[in-house]
Amino acid sequence: MIKITTPVLGDDELKEVKKVLDSGYLVQNKYVKQIEDFISKYVGTKYAVAVSSGTAALHLSLLSLGIKEGDEIIVPDFTFPATVNVVEMVGAKPILVDIDLESFCINTEEIESKITNKTKAIIPVQEFGNSTNMDEIIRISKKYNLKIIEDAACALGTEYKNKKIGSLGDVGCFSFHPRKSVTTGEGGIITTNNHEIYEKLKILRNHGISKIDGKVDFVLPGYNYRLTDIQAALGVIQLKKLEKIIDKKIKLAEIYNRELKNIKKIKTPKCDKDVRHTYQTYHVILDESIERDEVIKELRNREIESNYGAYAIHTLKYYREKYKLEDSEFDNSTKAYNQGLAFPLSYEMNEKDVIFVVGKLKEIIE
Ligand SMILES: *Cc1c(COP(=O)(O)O)cnc(C)c1O
């Protein structure tokens, strides 16, 4: 079976994890510090705060920015539902915006019409390792005094105008889930340049604990969103491989583009010249004449794993029943959800595998 992705794990990871087990210090300790130092340097922010998942990163970001009940948050309709769930978790209202079908990121031209006097923030999702037009996001956020929370869960290493994603807003959120380029099993990290936000994040991830005059006190009702040192040790080794993994994925994506170019019924992903796309996922749109779910089944019969790329939030039970939004407001997101297909893409694949996948796909759709 050619899997949709496979984590790149070896003896190096095992050795480093064993060091943690031998030390007896299993929770947040020196490897968590190491992973934070690596990420803040790599992304180019002053601070990084490691947490237990990408979802925890998003949740704490909203809390640290003071987002609360009654606030409205701009979110793209096409994403992994965690992006929107966290908005509900803090009692705010997600204002869904359609995406652009070339980038699969939020359609920046539709944002301003959805802003009201309750709007407090925008969460641009850097979908599939691509980047949204961040100049536009920044311009809009300045004009309306909005916070920017980059959902960069699947975009570690992605660049916009030679700057790393995660350094362009108030906070950036990353995930280390095995479906992403590098993994800690479960895990996530938040990047920021703001010292006040940084301090708040550290308190919120650790039960609300802070030190007042050198004495431990509980200053907020916090969470336990800590990353363990076991996970961080895994991550420290994984991050050494990050650039190698990204380079390979970019190469494989280019081979997909080349092989799929002449198939009229398939729309391949586009990437702006300002963006370094890191292809966490290689995602295409199938023509409406093709039954996407049938293609997934037929690929599986041929030992190839494929899947949906992301979800149209307005169609999911909770959001559908609560907000009763129409498909017609989200043409592109609806199309990407119904006709989108994510192909296998991982470090361990080679040119031959990509050609095999595309060959089988042709067999199915022709
Ligand atoms: C993976 C992902 C998340 C959630 O990250 P977890 O670590 O699984 O909690 C959130 N948003 C996007 C866009 C993602 O791809």
Side-chain angles (χ1 to χ4, degrees):
M1 177 73 96
I2 300 185
K3 292 213 192 108
I4 196 137
T5 195
T6 353
V8 191
L9 298 167
D11 286 343
D12 305 1
E13 279 84 358
L14 204 57
K15 248 189 238 157
E16 214 66 20
V17 168
K18 180 149 191 318
K19 284 186 200 165
V20 178
L21 303 186
D22 290 343
S23 79
Y25 294 102
L26 307 188
V27 296
Q28 194 174 290
N29 199 35
K30 69 173 195 196
Y31 282 101
V32 167
K33 175 86 173 59
Q34 272 185 41
I35 211 169
E36 289 175 341
D37 288 347
F38 180 98
I39 291 290
S40 60
K41 199 163 154 220
Y42 178 79
V43 172
T45 53
K46 281 189 194 147
Y47 313 104
V49 178
V51 290
S52 52
S53 70
T55 306
L58 288 163
H59 187 202
L60 288 195
S61 294
L62 291 174
L63 291 169
S64 73
L65 290 166
I67 306 298
K68 56 182 189 320
E69 210 175 320
D71 293 344
E72 293 182 356
I73 312 299
I74 303 275
V75 194
D77 186 58
F78 187 65
T79 181
F80 186 70
T83 316
V84 190
N85 289 346
V86 293
V87 176
E88 294 283 328
M89 279 159 71
V90 301
K93 182 179 178 187
I95 302 297
L96 299 168
V97 174
D98 202 6
I99 55 158
D100 165 51
L101 259 197
E102 303 273 289
S103 68
F104 301 116
C105 295
I106 195 164
N107 181 354
T108 51
E109 286 172 17
E110 282 186 23
I111 294 176
E112 286 190 83
S113 67
K114 302 239 177 168
I115 291 173
T116 71
N117 55 9
K118 291 179 182 162
T119 312
K120 292 287 154 61
I122 307 178
I123 308 183
V125 176
Q126 313 297 21
E127 195 57 280
F128 304 141
N130 204 347
S131 169
T132 190
N133 181 340
M134 286 306 291
D135 280 351
E136 265 301 285
I137 298 286
I138 291 163
R139 183 190 66 78
I140 294 166
S141 76
K142 282 196 178 132
K143 182 167 166 191
Y144 297 94
N145 192 24
L146 309 176
K147 302 291 184 197
I148 301 171
I149 299 139
E150 283 185 79
D151 182 346
C154 48
L156 184 60
T158 299
E159 291 172 13
Y160 179 78
K161 296 194 170 169
N162 297 318
K163 284 195 187 129
K164 286 274 182 337
I165 286 307
S167 68
L168 300 165
D170 294 277
V171 290
C173 300
F174 296 94
S175 165
F176 296 129
H177 183 272
R179 183 72 182 78
K180 320 297 183 189
S181 290
V182 292
T183 186
T184 59
E186 296 280 3
I189 200 158
I190 308 157
T191 49
T192 184
N193 283 312
N194 183 311
H195 187 259
E196 205 179 314
I197 292 172
Y198 170 64
E199 290 297 332
K200 193 125 180 238
L201 289 170
K202 284 194 295 177
I203 293 168
L204 285 167
R205 85 169 154 185
N206 188 23
H207 304 291
I209 294 173
S210 184
K211 277 190 180 159
I212 295 173
D213 301 329
K215 192 169 162 282
V216 166
D217 209 340
F218 290 74
V219 299
L220 284 170
Y223 297 80
N224 179 353
Y225 276 170
R226 293 179 309 232
L227 190 73
T228 67
D229 240 38
I230 304 170
Q231 293 167 315
L234 190 61
V236 164
I237 303 300
Q238 284 277 287
L239 286 167
K240 290 187 184 168
K241 305 176 181 174
L242 175 64
E243 282 298 318
K244 202 173 74 173
I245 292 171
I246 291 172
D247 284 345
K248 180 75 179 284
K249 290 179 98 173
I250 293 173
K251 274 206 194 87
L252 293 170
E254 283 165 358
I255 298 170
Y256 267 122
N257 284 339
R258 185 190 77 204
E259 293 297 311
L260 291 166
K261 201 171 62 193
N262 295 323
I263 308 180
K264 286 209 178 62
K265 289 178 176 175
I266 291 179
K267 191 169 145 52
T268 54
K270 297 283 177 307
C271 155
D272 197 88
K273 63 174 181 0
D274 290 330
V275 178
R276 179 204 195 200
H277 192 325
T278 49
Y279 293 99
Q280 178 254 349
T281 292
Y282 186 84
H283 184 260
V284 303
I285 303 283
L286 305 177
D287 185 80
E288 313 260 342
S289 65
I290 302 170
E291 284 273 352
R292 189 262 322 267
D293 289 352
E294 202 56 34
V295 174
I296 293 177
K297 211 173 87 196
E298 288 299 326
L299 283 170
R300 183 167 290 275
N301 288 340
R302 290 164 176 80
E303 299 286 306
I304 298 163
E305 191 181 28
S306 62
N307 207 344
Y308 299 8
Y311 296 84
I313 302 300
H314 77 278
T315 68
L316 308 176
K317 184 178 191 316
Y318 176 84
Y319 296 95
R320 185 172 76 226
E321 290 175 359
K322 185 165 181 183
Y323 296 111
K324 301 186 169 58
L325 297 162
E326 302 287 335
D327 280 357
S328 58
E329 261 194 81
F330 306 99
D331 276 347
N332 292 339
S333 170
T334 304
K335 187 164 185 194
Y337 181 43
N338 291 333
Q339 295 300 119
L341 187 65
F343 284 124
L345 184 66
S346 62
Y347 181 75
E348 279 159 31
M349 286 173 64
N350 55 38
E351 180 164 9
K352 210 173 85 242
D353 296 322
V354 173
I355 292 170
F356 175 76
V357 171
V358 174
K360 292 295 170 191
L361 180 79
K362 278 187 191 162
E363 196 179 291
I364 294 162
I365 66 170
E366 274 162 12

